């Protein structure tokens, strides 16, 4: 029980203070060493943000909200990414990316958007957008009434949602009016956190001609957009929905720095989408980039994903040079954090001779591979492919040899099977062997 806390609470809500004191007396778990109740804030309590933060149950005493959760400052106003403002009295909670509310502001003094994220009376905001902040997507405003503010709406969280909902209902003429306004700004909107959704919307619902025109607008900045958090999503959408001739334009531009895209946390998704959506003969530039350093690409955090997509969507004769480079490094890739996924994909999608070679490598290194976190997955996949895979009949000899190697003969004192049974990874392989036993 904290006398100072109870006195402060009583000033604002005596009944709540009395209930709190009764709860402490009745529940011994409510008290912590030193007499401090964790529900009323303690130094460094992560539940209520800043050290010694007050209990948000008492509005005017609100402290900062946690960095990753709902803002619980004044009035317990919350938002998905962290509180930005408050309700009655006190200073607003501050969450990740949040803003502090005004001191002492009441609900009557300041209006807030439906989401509770930002004040609706920003003087720099147009009257139309302010109305959307207050009414949300249920606003009675029409698309024609906000034509002059389309760009402002597109770059605003609530405005973007409003435009998307209205575009769904709009007729051909209204959509064309909006398209005419945003077209010169497509490249800028594409890497905007809210504007990119408007560009994607037009790729989804626009005409073929509108999609072609947008690709031309994006073309000069396609490389930079592919490496951008928001821009990469627009480029992926374009690759997925534009006609063949526009896909070729995108591919031509990406050739300028395809390796940077492959190794980018955002760009690799664009390259994967190209492989998935374009005809195999249109992704030769990607294959050539991977072939240049196949071993490094196969063991790269993002490069391994691109290699896997190539194995899934391209013919073996297209990938011959890449496959030969990778197959010569199977023993190293199998124990690699990312390379093991490429080896597993080769077992599933590779040539018969590649599968036989990998099975022989697994047999030679069975104990090492089976007791390694990464390569144990390769061993499991090898057993599966050799037993029930597409080329299981052609792999019968390799499968039998691998099983005999694991079991060992009567003269072997400590056969691989026993070592695998006692290992935290190897035991799963033994279980798979039992499942696939004949």
């Amino acid at each position: 029980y904290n006398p100072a806390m109870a006195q402060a609470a009583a000033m604002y809500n005596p009944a709540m203070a009395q209930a709190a004191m009764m709860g402490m007396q009745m529940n011994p778990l409510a008290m912590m060493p030193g007499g401090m109740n964790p529900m009323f804030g303690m130094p460094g309590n992560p539940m209520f943000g800043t050290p010694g933060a007050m209990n948000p149950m008492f509005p005017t005493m609100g402290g900062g909200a946690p960095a990753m959760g709902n803002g619980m400052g004044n009035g317990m106003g919350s938002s998905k990414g962290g509180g930005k403002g408050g309700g009655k009295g006190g200073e607003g909670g501050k969450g990740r990316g949040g803003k502090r509310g005004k001191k002492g502001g009441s609900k009557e003094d300041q209006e807030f958007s439906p989401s509770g994220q930002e004040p609706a009376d920003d003087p720099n905001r147009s009257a139309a957008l302010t109305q959307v902040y207050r009414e949300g997507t249920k606003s009675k405003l029409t698309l024609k009434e906000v034509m002059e503010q389309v760009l402002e709406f597109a770059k605003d969280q609530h405005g973007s949602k409003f435009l998307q909902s209205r575009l769904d209902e709009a007729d051909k003429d209204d959509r064309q009016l909006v398209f005419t306004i945003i077209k010169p700004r497509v490249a800028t909107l594409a890497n905007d956190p809210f504007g990119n959704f408007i560009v994607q919307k037009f790729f989804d619902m626009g005409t073929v001609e509108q999609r072609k025109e947008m690709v031309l607008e994006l073309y000069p900045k396609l490389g930079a957009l592919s490496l951008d958090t928001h821009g990469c999503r627009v480029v992926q959408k374009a690759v997925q929905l534009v006609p063949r001739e526009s896909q070729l334009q995108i591919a031509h531009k990406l050739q300028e720095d395809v390796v940077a895209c492959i190794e980018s946390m955002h760009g690799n998704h664009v390259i994967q989408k190209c492989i998935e959506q374009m005809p195999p003969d249109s992704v030769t530039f990607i294959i050539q980039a991977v072939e240049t350093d196949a071993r490094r690409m196969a063991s790269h955090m993002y490069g391994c994903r691109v290699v896997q997509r190539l194995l899934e969507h391209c013919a073996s004769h297209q990938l011959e040079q890449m496959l030969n480079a990778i197959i010569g490094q199977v023993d190293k890739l199998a124990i690699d954090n990312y390379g093991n996924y490429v080896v597993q994909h080769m077992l599933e999608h590779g040539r018969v001779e590649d599968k036989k070679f990998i099975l022989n490598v697994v047999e030679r290194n069975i104990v090492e591979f089976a007791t390694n976190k990464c390569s144990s997955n390769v061993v499991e996949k090898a057993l599966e492919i050799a037993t029930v895979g597409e080329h299981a009949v052609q792999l019968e000899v390799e499968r039998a040899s691998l099983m005999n190697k694991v079991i060992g003969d009567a003269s072997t004192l400590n056969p691989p099977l026993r070592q695998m049974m006692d290992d935290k990874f190897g035991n799963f392989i033994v279980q798979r062997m039992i499942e696939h036993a004949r």
Side-chain angles (χ1 to χ4, degrees), residues 181-196:
I181 294 170
I182 71 164
K183 177 186 168 184
R185 302 286 188 274
V186 160
T188 302
L189 292 173
N191 63 3
D192 183 85
F194 308 118
N196 79 89

PDB file of all heavy atoms in Angstrom, residues 181-196:
ATOM      1  N   ILE A 181      -4.915  12.624 -62.426  1.00  0.00           N
ATOM      2  CA  ILE A 181      -4.277  13.430 -61.389  1.00  0.00           C
ATOM      3  C   ILE A 181      -3.025  12.745 -60.835  1.00  0.00           C
ATOM      4  O   ILE A 181      -1.983  13.378 -60.643  1.00  0.00           O
ATOM      5  CB  ILE A 181      -5.278  13.707 -60.243  1.00  0.00           C
ATOM      6  CG1 ILE A 181      -6.420  14.604 -60.752  1.00  0.00           C
ATOM      7  CG2 ILE A 181      -4.576  14.379 -59.062  1.00  0.00           C
ATOM      8  CD1 ILE A 181      -7.572  14.739 -59.764  1.00  0.00           C
ATOM      9  N   ILE A 182      -3.120  11.442 -60.586  1.00  0.00           N
ATOM     10  CA  ILE A 182      -1.990  10.759 -59.929  1.00  0.00           C
ATOM     11  C   ILE A 182      -0.905  10.298 -60.899  1.00  0.00           C
ATOM     12  O   ILE A 182       0.242  10.083 -60.481  1.00  0.00           O
ATOM     13  CB  ILE A 182      -2.465   9.533 -59.105  1.00  0.00           C
ATOM     14  CG1 ILE A 182      -2.927   8.408 -60.038  1.00  0.00           C
ATOM     15  CG2 ILE A 182      -3.545   9.907 -58.114  1.00  0.00           C
ATOM     16  CD1 ILE A 182      -3.029   7.065 -59.353  1.00  0.00           C
ATOM     17  N   LYS A 183      -1.232  10.173 -62.168  1.00  0.00           N
ATOM     18  CA  LYS A 183      -0.273   9.624 -63.132  1.00  0.00           C
ATOM     19  C   LYS A 183       1.097  10.301 -63.089  1.00  0.00           C
ATOM     20  O   LYS A 183       2.126   9.622 -63.018  1.00  0.00           O
ATOM     21  CB  LYS A 183      -0.861   9.683 -64.546  1.00  0.00           C
ATOM     22  CG  LYS A 183       0.104   9.190 -65.620  1.00  0.00           C
ATOM     23  CD  LYS A 183      -0.466   9.401 -67.019  1.00  0.00           C
ATOM     24  CE  LYS A 183       0.599   9.194 -68.073  1.00  0.00           C
ATOM     25  NZ  LYS A 183       0.091   9.482 -69.441  1.00  0.00           N
ATOM     26  N   PRO A 184       1.192  11.640 -63.121  1.00  0.00           N
ATOM     27  CA  PRO A 184       2.524  12.268 -63.090  1.00  0.00           C
ATOM     28  C   PRO A 184       3.259  12.051 -61.763  1.00  0.00           C
ATOM     29  O   PRO A 184       4.460  12.294 -61.682  1.00  0.00           O
ATOM     30  CB  PRO A 184       2.218  13.760 -63.304  1.00  0.00           C
ATOM     31  CG  PRO A 184       0.817  13.820 -63.825  1.00  0.00           C
ATOM     32  CD  PRO A 184       0.126  12.655 -63.236  1.00  0.00           C
ATOM     33  N   ARG A 185       2.540  11.630 -60.739  1.00  0.00           N
ATOM     34  CA  ARG A 185       3.128  11.455 -59.405  1.00  0.00           C
ATOM     35  C   ARG A 185       3.228   9.984 -59.010  1.00  0.00           C
ATOM     36  O   ARG A 185       3.473   9.668 -57.852  1.00  0.00           O
ATOM     37  CB  ARG A 185       2.272  12.181 -58.359  1.00  0.00           C
ATOM     38  CG  ARG A 185       2.088  13.663 -58.609  1.00  0.00           C
ATOM     39  CD  ARG A 185       3.343  14.457 -58.303  1.00  0.00           C
ATOM     40  NE  ARG A 185       3.103  15.896 -58.359  1.00  0.00           N
ATOM     41  CZ  ARG A 185       3.171  16.617 -59.457  1.00  0.00           C
ATOM     42  NH1 ARG A 185       3.450  16.027 -60.624  1.00  0.00           N
ATOM     43  NH2 ARG A 185       2.956  17.930 -59.429  1.00  0.00           N
ATOM     44  N   VAL A 186       3.033   9.095 -59.955  1.00  0.00           N
ATOM     45  CA  VAL A 186       3.012   7.657 -59.648  1.00  0.00           C
ATOM     46  C   VAL A 186       4.307   7.199 -58.981  1.00  0.00           C
ATOM     47  O   VAL A 186       4.294   6.457 -57.996  1.00  0.00           O
ATOM     48  CB  VAL A 186       2.736   6.832 -60.926  1.00  0.00           C
ATOM     49  CG1 VAL A 186       3.177   5.388 -60.748  1.00  0.00           C
ATOM     50  CG2 VAL A 186       1.257   6.864 -61.262  1.00  0.00           C
ATOM     51  N   ALA A 187       5.457   7.628 -59.495  1.00  0.00           N
ATOM     52  CA  ALA A 187       6.733   7.197 -58.939  1.00  0.00           C
ATOM     53  C   ALA A 187       6.912   7.679 -57.502  1.00  0.00           C
ATOM     54  O   ALA A 187       7.465   6.977 -56.649  1.00  0.00           O
ATOM     55  CB  ALA A 187       7.893   7.681 -59.809  1.00  0.00           C
ATOM     56  N   THR A 188       6.431   8.894 -57.225  1.00  0.00           N
ATOM     57  CA  THR A 188       6.515   9.435 -55.864  1.00  0.00           C
ATOM     58  C   THR A 188       5.564   8.709 -54.925  1.00  0.00           C
ATOM     59  O   THR A 188       5.922   8.353 -53.799  1.00  0.00           O
ATOM     60  CB  THR A 188       6.186  10.940 -55.859  1.00  0.00           C
ATOM     61  OG1 THR A 188       7.100  11.617 -56.728  1.00  0.00           O
ATOM     62  CG2 THR A 188       6.304  11.518 -54.458  1.00  0.00           C
ATOM     63  N   LEU A 189       4.350   8.475 -55.390  1.00  0.00           N
ATOM     64  CA  LEU A 189       3.368   7.778 -54.564  1.00  0.00           C
ATOM     65  C   LEU A 189       3.764   6.329 -54.312  1.00  0.00           C
ATOM     66  O   LEU A 189       3.421   5.761 -53.268  1.00  0.00           O
ATOM     67  CB  LEU A 189       1.987   7.816 -55.241  1.00  0.00           C
ATOM     68  CG  LEU A 189       1.308   9.184 -55.335  1.00  0.00           C
ATOM     69  CD1 LEU A 189       0.034   9.084 -56.172  1.00  0.00           C
ATOM     70  CD2 LEU A 189       0.992   9.717 -53.946  1.00  0.00           C
ATOM     71  N   ALA A 190       4.491   5.735 -55.241  1.00  0.00           N
ATOM     72  CA  ALA A 190       4.835   4.314 -55.129  1.00  0.00           C
ATOM     73  C   ALA A 190       5.676   3.988 -53.896  1.00  0.00           C
ATOM     74  O   ALA A 190       5.579   2.882 -53.349  1.00  0.00           O
ATOM     75  CB  ALA A 190       5.570   3.844 -56.379  1.00  0.00           C
ATOM     76  N   ASN A 191       6.512   4.932 -53.449  1.00  0.00           N
ATOM     77  CA  ASN A 191       7.298   4.645 -52.236  1.00  0.00           C
ATOM     78  C   ASN A 191       6.796   5.424 -51.027  1.00  0.00           C
ATOM     79  O   ASN A 191       7.509   5.581 -50.042  1.00  0.00           O
ATOM     80  CB  ASN A 191       8.794   4.896 -52.468  1.00  0.00           C
ATOM     81  CG  ASN A 191       9.113   6.343 -52.781  1.00  0.00           C
ATOM     82  OD1 ASN A 191       8.232   7.191 -52.775  1.00  0.00           O
ATOM     83  ND2 ASN A 191      10.376   6.628 -53.052  1.00  0.00           N
ATOM     84  N   ASP A 192       5.557   5.888 -51.134  1.00  0.00           N
ATOM     85  CA  ASP A 192       4.916   6.539 -49.981  1.00  0.00           C
ATOM     86  C   ASP A 192       4.189   5.468 -49.170  1.00  0.00           C
ATOM     87  O   ASP A 192       3.568   4.560 -49.747  1.00  0.00           O
ATOM     88  CB  ASP A 192       3.914   7.588 -50.473  1.00  0.00           C
ATOM     89  CG  ASP A 192       3.271   8.345 -49.318  1.00  0.00           C
ATOM     90  OD1 ASP A 192       3.861   9.334 -48.852  1.00  0.00           O
ATOM     91  OD2 ASP A 192       2.184   7.932 -48.875  1.00  0.00           O
ATOM     92  N   PRO A 193       4.248   5.541 -47.831  1.00  0.00           N
ATOM     93  CA  PRO A 193       3.631   4.495 -47.008  1.00  0.00           C
ATOM     94  C   PRO A 193       2.133   4.328 -47.221  1.00  0.00           C
ATOM     95  O   PRO A 193       1.591   3.253 -46.956  1.00  0.00           O
ATOM     96  CB  PRO A 193       3.940   4.934 -45.569  1.00  0.00           C
ATOM     97  CG  PRO A 193       4.337   6.366 -45.649  1.00  0.00           C
ATOM     98  CD  PRO A 193       4.941   6.542 -46.998  1.00  0.00           C
ATOM     99  N   PHE A 194       1.453   5.387 -47.700  1.00  0.00           N
ATOM    100  CA  PHE A 194       0.012   5.281 -47.943  1.00  0.00           C
ATOM    101  C   PHE A 194      -0.320   5.419 -49.424  1.00  0.00           C
ATOM    102  O   PHE A 194      -1.250   4.780 -49.925  1.00  0.00           O
ATOM    103  CB  PHE A 194      -0.734   6.348 -47.131  1.00  0.00           C
ATOM    104  CG  PHE A 194      -0.369   6.335 -45.674  1.00  0.00           C
ATOM    105  CD1 PHE A 194       0.238   7.441 -45.077  1.00  0.00           C
ATOM    106  CD2 PHE A 194      -0.582   5.214 -44.905  1.00  0.00           C
ATOM    107  CE1 PHE A 194       0.597   7.426 -43.739  1.00  0.00           C
ATOM    108  CE2 PHE A 194      -0.227   5.181 -43.560  1.00  0.00           C
ATOM    109  CZ  PHE A 194       0.372   6.288 -42.977  1.00  0.00           C
ATOM    110  N   GLY A 195       0.472   6.228 -50.125  1.00  0.00           N
ATOM    111  CA  GLY A 195       0.231   6.425 -51.548  1.00  0.00           C
ATOM    112  C   GLY A 195       0.430   5.169 -52.373  1.00  0.00           C
ATOM    113  O   GLY A 195      -0.214   4.990 -53.415  1.00  0.00           O
ATOM    114  N   ASN A 196       1.315   4.267 -51.916  1.00  0.00           N
ATOM    115  CA  ASN A 196       1.582   3.057 -52.702  1.00  0.00           C
ATOM    116  C   ASN A 196       0.329   2.206 -52.865  1.00  0.00           C
ATOM    117  O   ASN A 196       0.185   1.480 -53.858  1.00  0.00           O
ATOM    118  CB  ASN A 196       2.722   2.255 -52.072  1.00  0.00           C
ATOM    119  CG  ASN A 196       2.298   1.440 -50.871  1.00  0.00           C
ATOM    120  OD1 ASN A 196       1.869   0.281 -50.991  1.00  0.00           O
ATOM    121  ND2 ASN A 196       2.438   2.018 -49.689  1.00  0.00           N
TER     122      ASN A 196
END
